[in-house]
Amino acid sequence: MKDFKKTVAEKIFDVKLISDNMDFDSVYMNVEVPTDNKMGDYAFPCFKLAKIFKKAPQAIAGELKDSINCGDEIDRIKNVNAYLNFYLRRELLVGEVVNGAIEENEKFGSSDIGENRKVIVEFSAPNIAKPFHIGHIRSTVIGNSINNIYSFVGYDTVRINHLGDYGTQFGKMIVAYRKWGNREDVEKEPIKTLLTYYTKFHEESESDPSLENDAREAFMKLEQGSEDETKLWQWFRDESLKEFNRVYTMLGIEFDSYAGESFYSDKMQRCLDELKEKNLLQESEGAQIVDLEEFGLGKALITKKDGSTLYITRDIAAAIYRKEHYDFYKNLYIVASQQNLHFQQWIKIIELMGYPWAHDCVHIPFGLVSLEEGTMSTRSGRVVFLEDVLKKAVEQTKQIIEEKNVTTDDVEEIADAVGIGAVIFNELSNNRIKDYVFSWGKILSFDGETGPYVQYSHARAASVLRKAPEESAKVANGEIKIDAKYLTSDRAYELSKLIYKLPQVIIEAADKYEPSVVTRHIIDIAQTFNRFYQDEYILVDGLDERAAKLGLVIAAKTAIRNGLGLLGIKAPEKM
RNA sequence: GGGCUCAUAGCUCAACUGGAUAGAGCAACAGCCUUCUAAGCUGUAGGUUCGGGGUUCGAAUCCCUGUGGGCUCACCA
């Protein structure tokens, strides 16, 4: 779509006084969007020019206003104090947006700035044999959305679920299972049962510290490839994945690779050798460390005194493997902010190893989820299961559908889309970095700035289009051209501008690794659409006007649907 | 104690990265369903942007400092 900001910048740059003193880019950069629609579409503040011209900025604004040639694109210019406010010819922008959105359809909002470069998105990464709880939703849903966004702006993405399927904890699990476990119970309810063993292990080890040693030994054997331990571990892993996949299916999330920590077990030695060869390893209290004190990053423990590895070793090995295997442009990690130090440490180590791509590895942190009773704790049973949250949200949606007597055969399908959409949307509506307290009340509220509100707006648009099926179809396939002069009211124009902005917003979300930017924007679109819907009757008698309005409805619907898609949320036609 | 991070309306959060009168939703109150879906729309009320300095034509945003919360600081991940 046409860049109207550039048009405005060009008009300003056409003035000789400006082009003599500034380059085009800095003019372009200084053009901004005013806080209030009444103040026009674009604004140019003249404060900075005051120094160059040694004149009051208000006076400069006044002079510039008279020397700018509006041409066909700009309707008028007003100078307010030190600002120059530009008002575009509305039908130009509206025509551009509505036709653009209709033509591009499911691609509307996308771009090709990624140039097909490879981006790895590591997300979700739950620990196997442990419950998939509400704390895991963040990495899962944020990561999925970042993947969608990167793919939409033209990157070739790879989704990796770096399962927590290795480490001393599995030594503990193996010891516990041998002592107290039985096969049938595990097969009936894998994670819950395994969890009871794990909890029992911790209880017992308080009075019997030798258990900890047994666990370390069991993990050491596992790492060395001992058959018995490997078999057990493999079984725990398979059973756990079955449960995780149930949740992923509900969320509509897929992965390209489930290469978890265990995948790198045979790549660890090479990594240790390399560290040694590059003189980075030191011995300390029997363990192997990399000293990062001079960078203010403490000491990184690479192997324990019994020689077994830790997760930092596995992350280093994984990064090297990924660079060789995928040759990524960027390698993104959607992992809680608790692990900031861990990421700083290993990325620094990669850098010290002499790999220039160290800084293409990016940790994308997010804040902590806690419960009203305190932080979540698997061991003490203070935990809310993600599956329960999703189910409850779907149930509540069903109830609401019944109360409202929605006429449809697909109650189940709609309830799934709306209930699960509500949970995902809630997760993606705030800045990643914010901590929050989980609350049933908030997650089950469907009024105001929520997923159901946005989906409802979409369904409303769909409903209007259904009332005029032939015409809508013709507008949608380009048989009827819309006349933008019917869409110049304040509401219609405001809506058009928000839709126009969507592609830029998506790029911004990619730059910031921040899905909430998209979430916020589609709330704005939905809100403005609802106001438009309220203020202006769409199915008017005049054929041209009706077609134009249907065009805008299609454009708004397209924008909302594509935006929701990036968040991983469905957009039902009815609800 | 060191490092990282957060603090904006009663509550949950925005604010185009330094711009104009700091905006939404929830909760409260008052209205709107005999034309397209009321999971909606309109209006009222609600602010010393944690305190104190500084830089700037201009600060919620940048710098210094204090306070308060969260995370983290070697054999867990």
Side-chain angles (χ1 to χ4, degrees):
Chain A
M1 277 190 298
K2 193 175 161 80
D3 181 0
F4 288 102
K5 181 175 169 179
K6 197 170 167 199
T7 309
V8 168
E10 279 165 0
K11 299 288 177 197
I12 300 169
F13 197 67
D14 278 347
V15 178
K16 193 163 181 309
L17 199 61
I18 297 290
S19 49
D20 284 349
N21 289 285
M22 292 172 85
D23 57 273
F24 179 76
D25 284 348
S26 60
V27 173
Y28 182 79
M29 297 253 289
N30 276 298
V31 175
E32 59 186 43
V33 177
T35 39
D36 192 330
N37 275 315
K38 290 190 201 94
M39 297 189 283
D41 301 309
Y42 293 98
F44 187 67
C46 297
F47 301 103
K48 282 169 189 153
L49 301 180
K51 271 187 194 136
I52 303 173
F53 299 129
K54 306 239 165 24
K55 249 187 224 174
Q58 292 90 330
I60 298 169
E63 280 174 39
L64 271 179
K65 182 195 174 238
D66 297 331
S67 19
I68 292 173
N69 173 16
C70 284
D72 294 335
E73 293 100 335
I74 292 163
D75 181 60
R76 64 205 149 95
I77 303 172
K78 265 169 89 176
N79 57 318
V80 181
N81 296 322
Y83 286 90
L84 269 183
N85 291 338
F86 293 80
Y87 296 77
L88 297 176
R89 267 189 56 215
R90 292 187 168 183
E91 50 271 49
L92 227 64
L93 181 138
V94 172
E96 187 82 15
V97 177
V98 174
N99 289 323
I102 288 174
E103 265 169 48
E104 293 178 44
N105 198 2
E106 62 278 337
K107 289 205 169 129
F108 176 69
S110 68
S111 47
D112 51 13
I113 57 168
E115 297 172 329
N116 219 29
R117 283 169 295 188
K118 185 81 79 184
V119 170
I120 291 176
V121 188
E122 177 191 305
F123 64 104
S124 199
N127 287 330
I128 64 171
K130 286 197 184 167
F132 204 122
H133 60 70
I134 188 70
H136 295 114
I137 196 181
R138 304 212 70 180
S139 174
T140 306
V141 161
I142 293 169
N144 184 53
S145 179
I146 287 178
N147 170 77
N148 294 345
I149 290 168
Y150 267 78
S151 169
F152 207 52
V153 298
Y155 289 93
D156 179 15
T157 63
V158 182
R159 298 161 292 185
I160 298 183
N161 194 344
H162 190 73
L163 292 170
D165 59 1
Y166 226 49
T168 314
Q169 51 176 332
F170 295 99
K172 293 178 182 175
M173 198 71 81
I174 288 166
V175 170
Y177 177 76
R178 282 175 176 161
K179 268 191 136 61
W180 312 295
N182 90 69
R183 199 165 186 100
E184 277 176 30
D185 291 350
V186 175
E187 274 167 358
K188 244 183 260 162
E189 247 196 311
I191 288 180
K192 277 187 181 147
T193 310
L194 290 172
L195 187 63
T196 59
Y197 302 159
Y198 193 68
T199 313
K200 180 147 182 164
F201 179 92
H202 282 280
E203 281 164 20
E204 299 282 322
S205 68
E206 267 175 43
S207 54
D208 180 5
S210 73
L211 284 174
E212 295 278 354
N213 287 327
D214 294 349
R216 272 193 285 270
E217 199 187 321
F219 174 58
M220 201 171 66
K221 280 191 180 163
L222 176 62
E223 195 162 30
Q224 287 162 357
S226 155
E227 195 178 327
D228 286 358
E229 279 75 10
T230 308
K231 250 189 187 163
L232 262 183
W233 166 83
Q234 185 67 48
W235 179 53
F236 295 157
R237 190 181 192 271
D238 292 346
E239 293 296 324
S240 302
L241 263 182
K242 278 188 206 160
E243 287 210 42
F244 293 160
N245 279 326
R246 226 167 44 222
V247 177
Y248 291 136
T249 305
M250 277 194 254
L251 290 169
I253 291 178
E254 289 171 12
F255 294 93
D256 301 303
S257 161
Y258 286 87
E261 292 185 53
S262 63
F263 177 77
Y264 301 97
S265 64
D266 63 351
K267 298 165 183 64
M268 227 74 89
Q269 193 54 49
R270 184 200 135 180
C271 177
L272 292 173
D273 292 345
E274 196 177 331
L275 283 166
K276 198 172 283 174
E277 185 192 311
K278 290 178 174 163
N279 272 323
L280 293 166
L281 276 188
Q282 284 174 26
E283 196 171 308
S284 168
E285 296 168 38
Q288 306 262 29
I289 63 156
V290 177
D291 190 340
L292 298 169
E293 294 289 2
E294 61 173 305
F295 308 105
L297 296 173
K299 291 176 169 129
L301 193 63
I302 304 293
T303 63
K304 300 185 249 179
K305 58 185 168 209
D306 67 4
S308 61
T309 59
L310 289 116
Y311 81 137
I312 193 164
T313 330
R314 296 190 276 273
D315 266 333
I316 294 168
I320 293 172
Y321 171 82
R322 287 180 194 174
K323 184 64 193 179
E324 287 173 356
H325 193 259
Y326 296 105
D327 191 24
F328 55 75
Y329 166 72
K330 277 204 190 309
N331 182 19
L332 311 178
Y333 294 82
I334 314 334
V335 179
S337 63
Q338 288 162 32
Q339 303 208 27
N340 278 346
L341 180 62
H342 166 74
F343 277 93
Q344 282 178 23
Q345 285 182 333
W346 77 249
I347 290 171
K348 178 55 89 179
I349 292 173
I350 293 273
E351 185 192 325
L352 293 175
M353 287 170 91
Y355 292 117
W357 47 265
H359 298 287
D360 300 332
C361 298
V362 186
H363 175 213
I364 297 161
F366 54 82
L368 189 87
V369 189
S370 56
L371 303 181
E372 272 144 356
E373 311 90 273
T375 41
M376 231 161 327
S377 158
T378 319
R379 281 184 213 168
S380 65
R382 229 181 18 240
V383 68
V384 175
F385 294 91
L386 182 51
E387 195 171 358
D388 293 343
V389 174
L390 296 175
K391 281 182 178 163
K392 217 162 182 169
V394 172
E395 265 169 46
Q396 166 152 332
T397 310
K398 263 187 213 163
Q399 256 178 38
I400 296 176
I401 291 174
E402 270 169 41
E403 282 164 21
K404 297 193 185 293
N405 289 317
V406 179
T407 51
T408 172
D409 306 326
D410 333 301
V411 177
E412 300 286 330
E413 203 183 321
I414 293 172
D416 275 4
V418 176
I420 290 166
V423 177
I424 299 176
F425 195 93
N426 179 261
E427 186 58 49
L428 295 177
S429 51
N430 297 341
N431 269 326
R432 292 185 335 258
I433 201 69
K434 302 264 184 187
D435 292 345
Y436 74 89
V437 178
F438 173 83
S439 115
W440 282 107
K442 197 177 176 204
I443 211 144
L444 296 178
S445 104
F446 293 171
D447 297 327
E449 295 172 343
T450 64
Y453 172 80
V454 175
Q455 289 172 318
Y456 175 78
S457 315
H458 176 269
R460 225 180 189 186
S463 172
V464 179
L465 298 178
R466 277 197 299 273
K467 301 270 168 178
E470 288 90 11
E471 255 174 299
S472 298
K474 282 183 184 167
V475 173
N477 68 24
E479 255 180 76
I480 300 180
K481 282 279 165 212
I482 65 124
D483 186 344
K485 79 176 175 205
Y486 296 106
L487 301 172
T488 55
S489 67
D490 285 352
R491 283 290 188 234
Y493 189 57
E494 200 186 337
L495 179 55
S496 303
K497 280 212 287 184
L498 287 171
I499 300 168
Y500 173 73
K501 214 179 146 192
L502 184 70
Q504 279 310 309
V505 165
I506 293 169
I507 290 169
E508 188 193 337
D511 284 346
K512 292 160 105 171
Y513 309 110
E514 188 62 270
S516 67
V517 172
V518 174
T519 315
R520 293 267 144 206
H521 193 68
I522 57 174
I523 289 173
D524 283 348
I525 294 177
Q527 207 168 50
T528 310
F529 171 77
N530 281 324
R531 288 175 185 158
F532 168 72
Y533 179 93
Q534 189 78 22
D535 286 0
E536 296 188 30
Y537 189 62
I538 294 158
L539 300 172
V540 291
D541 292 334
L543 283 184
D544 291 345
E545 184 179 352
R546 192 202 292 207
K549 285 183 165 175
L550 286 172
L552 181 56
V553 172
I554 293 171
K557 180 173 178 282
T558 303
I560 292 173
R561 188 237 292 141
N562 293 2
L564 284 173
L566 294 178
L567 305 177
I569 299 172
K570 290 181 184 139
E573 294 287 311
K574 268 188 188 179
M575 64 183 273

